[in-house]
Amino acid sequence: MEVDSYSAQETMELGKQMGTRARPGSVYTLIGDLGAGKTVFTQGFAQGLGILEPVSSPTFTIVQEYDSGRLPFYHFDVYRIGDVEEMEEIGCEDYFYGGGVCLVEWADRIGELLPEQLTRICIHKDLERGFDYRRITVEETR
């Protein structure tokens, strides 16, 4: 599926729709350049799960846990990960194969640790189409 977003609000709304449909044990990966809208998408996703508290990127803590929605939500930002062993040390498999929902920003940095079944979301900017334009590609792997 490909979606054209022309504003942060549209990107957030797509995230919200996907969060509404998320099921226990789901893993979502987010790929995109700095400033592409990964955190905006994640904020919408959290809203779709019924999480009302503010959601920000856990850049310095690797994972932020939210338990106030309909499912536990684990928001990873692995941008600063130096080695995949750091992910193993925090018990990433417990998150990835548990009953909550995981969303991993910069997931391409830890590809070998991710489950085979996941939903890959790529957000691409195209300044020729406008400052706020994003092409969002969603692909499920099996």
Side-chain angles (χ1 to χ4, degrees):
M1 167 176 77
E2 287 189 355
V3 176
D4 293 326
S5 173
Y6 294 91
S7 69
Q9 186 58 39
E10 287 182 14
T11 299
M12 185 176 284
E13 186 59 34
L14 177 62
K16 186 175 182 179
Q17 291 170 12
M18 291 184 71
T20 300
R21 295 189 305 263
R23 299 288 169 244
S26 298
V27 175
Y28 296 81
T29 63
L30 269 174
I31 310 293
D33 293 333
L34 286 170
K38 295 181 299 296
T39 301
V40 168
F41 179 92
T42 302
Q43 290 168 339
F45 193 94
Q47 287 178 12
L49 286 170
I51 296 167
L52 302 177
E53 63 192 278
V55 172
S56 60
S57 190
T59 301
F60 296 102
T61 59
I62 301 176
V63 64
Q64 182 68 43
E65 300 182 22
Y66 299 91
D67 293 320
S68 61
R70 65 180 179 82
L71 294 168
F73 178 47
Y74 309 113
H75 178 202
F76 290 83
D77 183 331
V78 298
Y79 180 74
R80 298 198 191 293
I81 215 88
D83 189 303
V84 293
E85 289 179 6
E86 289 180 59
M87 288 296 291
E88 292 171 337
E89 288 172 8
I90 66 166
C92 66
E93 286 189 0
D94 293 336
Y95 292 103
F96 294 159
Y97 298 100
V101 176
C102 295
L103 192 145
V104 184
E105 293 188 39
W106 300 98
D108 49 336
R109 295 175 182 245
I110 60 161
E112 63 268 30
L113 297 178
L114 295 169
E116 288 184 28
Q117 185 173 342
L118 54 81
T119 301
R120 181 177 292 116
I121 302 154
C122 297
I123 304 177
H124 301 279
K125 298 187 284 187
D126 183 348
L127 295 178
E128 291 181 11
R129 297 193 64 182
F131 181 76
D132 291 325
Y133 173 82
R134 304 293 187 265
R135 162 83 29 110
I136 303 170
T137 306
V138 180
E139 174 190 7
E140 290 187 29
T141 63
R142 301 253 176 234

